[in-house]
Amino acid sequence: MNDERHFDVEEVSAVPSPPRARVTDAEEAPPRRRDYLDGFLAQKPEPQPAGEPGGDVYEAVIASLKEIFDPEIPVNIYDLGLIYGVDVVDNGHVAVTMTLTTPHCPVAESMPAEVELRVSAVPGVATADVNLVWDPPWDPQKMSDDAKLELGML
């Protein structure tokens, strides 16, 4: 099966250049604003209240909680999921709601006192209360991914 194809070839000595676009050929464009982000960039961020997540005192309290480690597990109590809530009031009062891994935990008596002591030492905190709760009970799903990785659970 011979399948020859035939192409017509035309020889040329030159190809004309395509016309070039000229600025004078363009339609009149609307004037550009100098910087469309001008107003946006001039806005100042709204200050966060000290007791709100993202506020200075709240973040400092969280940082202090991350320095307290469970004596049996090499993970801090915040990443372990033992801290259920941190409430900061304008007058510098902080209430920490926490639990322990089990009611029979060997540090059941000393851990809340250590949390209260560490939180009270944070600049901007006038008083600190620690509320130890058992409901909802702690379970490993409350741990952060960092804690799970540290314990080889991921």
Side-chain angles (χ1 to χ4, degrees):
M1 183 187 261
N2 190 0
D3 196 13
E4 270 189 49
R5 295 189 180 175
H6 178 65
F7 295 99
D8 290 332
V9 177
E10 178 184 345
E11 289 189 32
V12 293
S13 59
V15 176
S17 299
R20 293 186 175 203
R22 305 265 185 242
V23 174
T24 56
D25 297 340
E27 294 179 21
E28 191 66 34
R32 284 186 56 172
R33 290 188 3 208
R34 189 89 177 133
D35 186 358
Y36 66 93
L37 291 176
D38 223 7
F40 177 77
L41 296 174
Q43 293 177 358
K44 299 290 181 208
E46 293 181 23
Q48 286 282 354
E52 295 297 317
D56 293 339
V57 174
Y58 179 88
E59 296 300 329
V61 168
I62 298 300
S64 73
L65 292 172
K66 287 184 175 184
E67 294 176 356
I68 304 171
F69 285 80
D70 186 290
E72 297 174 324
I73 305 170
V75 176
N76 69 67
I77 63 172
Y78 188 83
D79 287 333
L80 199 54
L82 298 179
I83 304 300
Y84 285 175
V86 175
D87 296 315
V88 181
V89 184
D90 288 339
N91 61 5
H93 177 73
V94 176
V96 177
T97 304
M98 68 174 290
T99 192
L100 296 172
T101 53
T102 173
H104 306 293
C105 182
V107 293
E109 290 183 23
S110 63
M111 183 67 73
E114 183 177 356
V115 169
E116 184 177 346
L117 183 66
R118 295 275 189 109
V119 170
S120 296
V122 171
V125 174
T127 58
D129 288 327
V130 176
N131 302 315
L132 188 61
V133 298
W134 303 109
D135 190 35
W138 178 86
D139 67 77
Q141 295 304 315
K142 295 187 181 336
M143 292 191 295
S144 71
D145 287 343
D146 290 340
K148 290 177 184 176
L149 184 64
E150 178 72 28
L151 297 174
M153 297 174 70
L154 277 182

